[in-house]
Amino acid sequence: MGLLLAGFGAGVATEFVAHPVKFVQRAVRRVVPTPPPPVVSEPDVESIFLAFRRDSVQVPITRYGRGGGLTVVDSHAVLSTIDGKLYLAASARDVTPLAIGVPDYGFDAYRAFAEDPANSAYHFELWAYRYFDLLAYDFGGSKHLALSFVRFEPDRRCFHTIVSVLDIPATAADLARFTATAEDWRTLYVTEPCLPLKTIQSAIEVQIGGGRLAHDGKGRLYLGSGDFHIDGVFSEMPAIAQDPAYDYGKVIEIDLATGGHRQIARGLRNMQGIAFDAEGQLWTVEHGLRGGDELNLIREGKDYGWPKESLGTLYNKLPIPNVLSYGRHDRFEPPVYAFLPSVAISSLELLKGFNGAWDGDILMGTLKDQSLYRFRIADRRVMFAERIPIGERIRAARQLDGDRLVLFTDDNELIFLTEEPNGQAEAFLTAYLQQADLSPHVRDRLEANINTCLKCHSLDPDVNTFAPSLAAVAGARIGGTRYANYSDWMRAQETTWTPDRLAAFLQDPTVLAPGTLMPDPGIDDPEEIGAVVDFLAAMASPLEFTPKSVDLAEPAAGVTN
C-alpha cells in the first residue's frame, strides 16, 4: 500500500508541475472517484449458470496510472503493470515479482518533455502513458512473451507502438527463477510512421492506442493498433484510420518467423480486445465515443468505417463531424454487436476447456460498466451477451485454467474467480427431504443413499471430475455428460435414462452397463431404489420445493400468477 500511495503521489506531482490548472480540472473529472460501485452479494460473483468465489490482491505500482497487460503461463497469471513491472501469480495469496526487465518505453523522456516550460503549448496526461499488453504464446517449440507499448522519441518529437518478444521457460516454476534484462527482448514490429505530438487534446492520447495482442497458433501475431485520436476531430491532422499509409486504426498481422507484417483491416478506432474464437475467426472489441462500442468480426481487406461512420456521438451529444450517416452503420463493414450506451470495453478472451455452460464462449471485460460480458457466438452472430457485475474497472480478463478466471483492474488488483457450486442443488435436496411424501425411514435412507452417491457424483451441472454429474440425469442420454471415463457400452448408447433403467443400474450397475467403473451402491431395498430414482426425476422436472423456513402462503420472488 505504501508503494501504491508513493507511486500515486509521484504521478500526481509530475502532472501538477507540468500544468497545475489543467491537472486540477482533470482531478475533478478523472481522479476523484465516481460513486461506489454496486455491491456484489454472496456468492461473490454469480451468472445465470455459474457462481464464483472471489479473492483479490493489490499489486504495487511506482506511479499513478491505468493500464497493463495480463496473460497466462502454466495456469499462472503473468501481469505487466502500467510501469512495466512483471509479476507471477498462482492465486491471490501467491504473487511473486519476476526478475525480468522490459524495454524502455520512453516515459522518463516524455515526462521531462512535459516538465519543460518550452513545451507549454501541449497538454500532457502522464497517467495514460503505459505498456499496453502482454501475451504468452508458443512458437517454434518454445514459449515466448510479446509485450506491446507506446514509445516517445524525444529527438524526433514523435511516438509509435512497438511489439517486442522474449524467449521464456514453459513452466511457472522455471519462470519464477528466470532472469532477463531489457536488452534480452527483440523488437519484432514498429508502427510507421512515427506520429507527431498533438496540440488538440493531449499530446499523446495513449488511451486511444489499443495495443492488444492475439496469437493464431500458426506463427502469426495480431495487433489491434489504435489511431491515438488522430481522426480529424481531436487532432489537427486528418484522420488516419482509413489511410493505408499509416499503421494506425488497423489490425496488423505480424509473421513471427520473418517479422514481416501487413494491414488486414482498417477503419478501426481503439481496439481494447482481440481474440480468436473456437472456429479460428478473429474478433476485436473497440471503444466508440459516446456510444458505439463495437464487437467486430475481422475479415481481411474490410473497412470498418471509423471515423466516417459510427454508432456514437461526440461527448457533447452532437454528431461526429463529417460522418456519412447519423445513427446508422450501413456504408462500411458493420459491427456484429454494438453497445449503446458505451460500456468501455477493455479485453477479449476465448474460453476453452471450461465449464460446459460457458465453454467456447468469448469473455469481455469493461471499464465504465465494471462488468464481465459473456458472448455466445453462433453463425457469425451474437446469440446473447450475458452481463456479470464485478464492481471494478476491469482492464483485462483471462481464463487461468479449467475452473478459474483472473482479472486485472484499474485499482491494480488481481481478482481470482474460482468456479464453485451455487448451492441450488444442495438447497433442492434439503427442501425435497423436508417435503417429499416419504416415510421417516425411507427419508432417512434416501438422505444416506444420496450422501453415498455424492462421494463421487455431484448434483451440480457439468461437474464430472470423478463421476458423471447427476443433475438432470433422468431423461438425459446415457453417457451424455462430459465425463471422461465412460465405458464403451455407455458411449455407444443412444437411449436415455428412464426410471426403469436408473432402477436397474442402481440394483446392479455391471449387469445393465458392462465395463462401467460404477461400484455396487449397496442399495438392495426396492423401496429405497425407488426413492432415489424419484429424487433424480424430481431434479429433472419443473417441480419446486420451497424450504419450510419460507412462508408458503406468499408467492416466491419473481413468480406471477
Side-chain angles (χ1 to χ4, degrees):
M1 182 60 73
L3 285 174
L4 177 65
L5 294 176
F8 175 84
V12 168
T14 301
E15 291 197 72
F16 187 82
V17 168
H19 288 292
V21 175
K22 291 178 179 178
F23 171 76
V24 171
Q25 293 171 344
R26 290 198 309 280
V28 172
R29 191 168 62 248
R30 293 174 179 165
V31 177
V32 172
T34 56
V39 175
V40 179
S41 60
E42 297 294 337
D44 290 343
V45 175
E46 190 172 54
S47 73
I48 293 297
F49 293 105
L50 303 182
F52 297 88
R53 184 183 75 252
R54 172 175 175 161
D55 298 298
S56 63
V57 61
Q58 193 84 36
V59 179
I61 55 173
T62 58
R63 66 178 179 86
Y64 170 73
R66 294 172 176 173
L70 184 65
T71 190
V72 175
V73 173
D74 190 21
S75 296
H76 286 60
V78 182
L79 170 69
S80 168
T81 59
I82 186 174
D83 48 356
K85 300 298 185 293
L86 300 189
Y87 294 87
L88 181 71
S91 70
R93 296 164 186 81
D94 184 7
V95 181
T96 304
L98 291 174
I100 299 177
V102 296
D104 177 34
Y105 64 150
F107 176 73
D108 290 340
Y110 188 58
R111 179 165 55 188
F113 186 88
E115 292 172 348
D116 187 340
N119 300 318
S120 60
Y122 296 105
H123 172 63
F124 302 95
E125 293 180 311
L126 300 185
W127 64 267
Y129 202 97
R130 67 190 63 168
Y131 289 90
F132 285 130
D133 201 9
L134 186 69
L135 179 69
Y137 64 92
D138 295 312
F139 177 67
S142 58
K143 182 76 72 177
H144 311 268
L145 282 180
L147 181 70
S148 60
F149 52 96
V150 66
R151 185 160 71 194
F152 174 58
E153 306 287 354
D155 295 340
R156 302 163 62 189
R157 292 196 171 197
C158 65
F159 61 95
H160 40 210
T161 297
I162 294 177
V163 178
S164 293
V165 295
L166 176 70
D167 301 340
I168 62 168
T171 69
D174 289 337
L175 185 60
R177 297 186 292 267
F178 180 70
T179 61
T181 67
E183 289 70 32
D184 292 321
W185 294 76
R186 174 172 60 90
T187 299
L188 179 66
Y189 169 71
V190 180
T191 53
E192 295 294 348
C194 195
L195 294 175
L197 302 180
K198 301 193 302 106
T199 57
I200 299 177
Q201 295 282 102
S202 180
I204 307 177
E205 292 196 62
V206 184
Q207 67 272 30
I208 316 295
R212 298 295 185 177
L213 296 164
H215 181 230
D216 68 353
K218 302 175 183 178
R220 292 181 292 268
L221 282 184
Y222 291 80
L223 170 70
S225 176
D227 75 350
F228 290 93
H229 251 172
I230 300 180
D231 53 15
V233 177
F234 296 96
S235 66
E236 50 270 74
M237 280 180 60
I240 60 177
Q242 294 178 311
D243 188 341
Y246 291 83
D247 290 339
Y248 306 90
K250 315 293 193 304
V251 174
I252 308 292
E253 178 189 87
I254 309 168
D255 189 303
L256 288 168
T258 66
H261 54 86
R262 63 195 184 102
Q263 301 172 6
I264 65 168
R266 62 183 180 179
L268 296 149
R269 179 176 180 264
N270 178 21
M271 290 159 282
Q272 287 293 316
I274 180 168
F276 286 90
D277 67 14
E279 297 179 0
Q281 300 175 122
L282 184 61
W283 297 82
T284 65
V285 283
E286 69 168 84
H287 285 272
L289 286 169
R290 178 180 167 269
D293 286 2
E294 296 180 356
L295 172 67
N296 286 303
L297 174 59
I298 298 301
R299 297 195 289 170
E300 186 168 343
K302 294 296 183 179
D303 187 331
Y304 291 79
W306 174 257
K308 294 182 179 179
E309 197 165 41
S310 171
L311 289 173
T313 72
L314 295 176
Y315 293 111
N316 62 12
K317 303 182 182 181
L318 296 176
I320 299 170
N322 303 316
V323 294
L324 299 178
S325 59
Y326 182 65
R328 314 296 301 181
H329 201 307
D330 47 19
R331 303 194 184 193
F332 293 88
E333 189 72 11
V336 172
Y337 193 90
F339 289 88
L340 285 81
S342 296
V343 294
I345 294 161
S346 64
S347 64
L348 209 59
E349 173 84 335
L350 169 66
L351 297 170
K352 186 176 181 180
F354 208 67
N355 184 291
W358 282 31
D359 199 32
D361 293 342
I362 293 179
L363 195 67
M364 181 186 81
T366 64
L367 301 169
K368 176 183 176 182
D369 194 57
Q370 300 185 5
S371 300
L372 293 172
Y373 281 79
R374 179 172 64 95
F375 292 110
R376 174 72 50 81
I377 305 294
D379 298 326
R380 297 188 177 185
R381 68 180 182 87
V382 175
M383 182 183 295
F384 60 77
E386 181 189 12
R387 179 177 182 266
I388 305 163
I390 299 296
E392 302 281 351
R393 289 173 56 91
I394 304 165
R395 181 59 56 176
R398 297 291 188 190
Q399 178 185 344
L400 199 57
D401 49 35
D403 63 356
R404 291 192 301 161
L405 307 172
V406 60
L407 318 178
F408 182 55
T409 77
D410 271 356
D411 288 331
N412 295 289
E413 279 188 323
L414 281 172
I415 298 176
F416 292 84
L417 301 180
T418 303
E419 181 196 344
E420 60 180 16
N422 61 14
Q424 297 305 310
E426 182 179 350
F428 184 91
L429 173 59
T430 299
Y432 185 90
L433 290 171
Q434 288 176 346
Q435 298 171 42
D437 186 14
L438 302 171
S439 69
H441 170 74
V442 173
R443 179 178 289 108
D444 291 344
R445 292 306 305 151
L446 174 60
E447 183 174 13
N449 288 326
I450 293 298
N451 285 333
T452 298
C453 294
L454 295 183
K455 291 179 180 179
C456 296
H457 295 274
S458 173
L459 298 179
D460 293 288
D462 206 51
V463 179
N464 306 295
T465 306
F466 302 107
S469 169
L470 298 180
V473 66
R477 185 176 69 84
I478 295 175
T481 76
R482 291 153 53 99
Y483 176 60
N485 295 317
Y486 280 121
S487 66
D488 292 340
W489 181 89
M490 283 199 174
R491 291 187 185 280
Q493 298 308 299
E494 296 182 359
T495 56
T496 59
W497 282 115
T498 64
D500 287 345
R501 290 193 183 101
L502 286 169
F505 188 68
L506 290 171
Q507 182 69 42
D508 192 332
T510 59
V511 170
L512 180 73
T516 182
L517 298 177
M518 171 80 171
D520 187 340
I523 310 175
D524 300 320
D525 185 342
E527 188 177 18
E528 292 184 30
I529 291 176
V532 173
V533 171
D534 288 345
F535 168 72
L536 295 176
M539 284 197 71
S541 78
L543 294 176
E544 294 186 21
F545 288 87
T546 308
K548 289 182 177 179
S549 58
V550 176
D551 186 352
L552 298 180
E554 296 294 330
V559 176
T560 59
N561 294 324

